[in-house]
Amino acid sequence: IQSITMERNDANYRAEDQKREVERLQKEIINAHMKLEKMETKCKEEARNIRTMEDRYIMEKMTNAELRKKICVMQGNIRVICRVRPLSDPNQYAQLKYIEDDKIVVDMHEFEFDKVFAPDSSQLMVFE
């Protein structure tokens, strides 16, 4: 009887330990959920900030284009446009990257134009 009582007491202690561990883990889960909600809120806020900045960038780009047009008119309407032709030899070495529609990078040198037309641009696109 004494050994059964000891086993029962030991089982009760283990059960209490497991109960405390379950409670601790439940608290950890609650804390993790709270942190996750905070992070989700912050992510949504940052996504809104990114959209706002993208909108501002587009507006600034449009404003800059208008200002460039005004400057061109004041200077005699001279515009510099670049049309990149397709390479005749596909094995030809060229480090050409398009950054934006008004900038290109060739062999680590950046060039800025009023407009850059890619190799796949049509004649119609160029002359519009």
Side-chain angles (χ1 to χ4, degrees):
I1 292 181
Q2 191 177 14
S3 67
I4 293 174
T5 304
M6 288 176 59
E7 285 180 23
R8 187 188 69 176
N9 288 342
D10 189 41
N12 285 339
Y13 288 129
R14 283 193 308 249
E16 286 297 319
D17 284 345
Q18 288 176 345
K19 186 176 178 181
R20 282 191 294 276
E21 181 66 12
V22 166
E23 288 172 356
R24 185 187 67 76
L25 291 173
Q26 286 174 336
K27 287 178 184 177
E28 273 189 43
I29 289 171
I30 290 169
N31 287 336
H33 280 290
M34 290 171 56
K35 285 181 182 179
L36 179 62
E37 287 175 3
K38 286 180 183 178
M39 283 190 235
E40 286 174 342
T41 302
K42 190 171 184 178
C43 280
K44 288 177 184 176
E45 183 180 318
E46 290 300 322
R48 282 192 301 270
N49 288 341
I50 289 170
R51 284 191 296 274
T52 300
M53 291 303 209
E54 287 172 341
D55 291 344
R56 285 182 185 173
Y57 172 74
I58 290 168
M59 293 300 293
E60 288 297 322
K61 192 171 178 180
M62 289 172 30
T63 301
N64 287 346
E66 288 298 318
L67 291 173
R68 267 191 245 122
K69 285 179 186 177
K70 287 180 182 179
I71 290 171
C72 285
V73 168
M74 291 164 55
Q75 291 179 341
N77 243 358
I78 297 174
R79 291 189 177 166
V80 180
I81 297 175
C82 175
R83 181 177 187 190
V84 180
R85 291 185 4 195
L87 296 174
S88 57
D89 180 8
N91 297 324
Q92 185 177 359
Y93 175 77
Q95 293 292 325
L96 178 65
K97 294 182 182 178
Y98 298 96
I99 296 176
E100 293 181 19
D101 62 346
D102 61 348
K103 294 179 186 174
I104 62 171
V105 174
V106 179
D107 291 328
M108 306 282 288
H109 299 287
E110 185 175 310
F111 300 94
E112 188 170 338
F113 300 92
D114 290 309
K115 178 73 177 161
V116 175
F117 290 97
D120 59 347
S121 299
S122 68
Q123 286 288 98
L124 183 60
M125 291 170 63
V126 171
F127 288 101
E128 282 183 345

